[in-house]
Amino acid sequence: SRYQLSRAVWRQHYGRKTDNRKNPKQATQLAILHIMWLQNQYIKSNERKPSAAQLYAMWQLGFEGFKRHHMLLCYQILCSQGYLICKK
């Protein structure tokens, strides 16, 4: 959508109420709410605040997608540094 808010994000925070994602005022409110939710999810998992780059990735991938991507990246780094023996 024009404001990069998916229907799923709208429903996550507002349920099945009327979809007003394209209303600039409501889209801004939803964006703020969703960023706060993403930050809180990250803090619960990592006990620290996310960086701006991590927030951007969470916004693009969703929190669960970010976690999967982050775990894969960590695994690849550990393998490349020789901390894990990994199949190629």
Side-chain angles (χ1 to χ4, degrees):
S1 83
R2 181 174 165 200
Y3 298 102
Q4 296 186 346
L5 297 168
S6 70
R7 181 171 285 128
V9 169
W10 179 270
R11 288 184 177 162
Q12 174 185 345
H13 297 289
Y14 293 122
R16 297 206 178 263
K17 294 179 184 176
T18 306
D19 184 349
N20 288 326
R21 290 177 292 146
K22 294 186 180 182
N23 175 312
K25 185 176 180 180
Q26 290 190 332
T28 299
Q29 291 172 342
L30 176 58
I32 292 167
L33 181 64
H34 193 59
I35 291 280
M36 291 171 55
W37 180 83
L38 289 170
Q39 283 181 321
N40 288 333
Q41 295 303 306
Y42 186 89
I43 291 167
K44 284 180 191 176
S45 295
N46 299 286
E47 298 181 359
R48 60 186 167 90
K49 288 184 175 182
S51 68
Q54 289 167 324
L55 269 176
Y56 174 79
M58 284 185 271
W59 181 273
Q60 297 299 321
L61 301 170
F63 185 70
E64 291 301 319
F66 173 80
K67 283 190 346 187
R68 285 190 302 274
H69 177 75
H70 183 70
M71 292 298 293
L72 178 61
L73 183 60
C74 289
Y75 177 79
Q76 290 170 341
I77 290 169
L78 290 172
C79 289
S80 70
Q81 297 295 317
Y83 293 107
L84 293 175
I85 299 171
C86 306
K87 295 180 182 178
K88 293 189 180 194

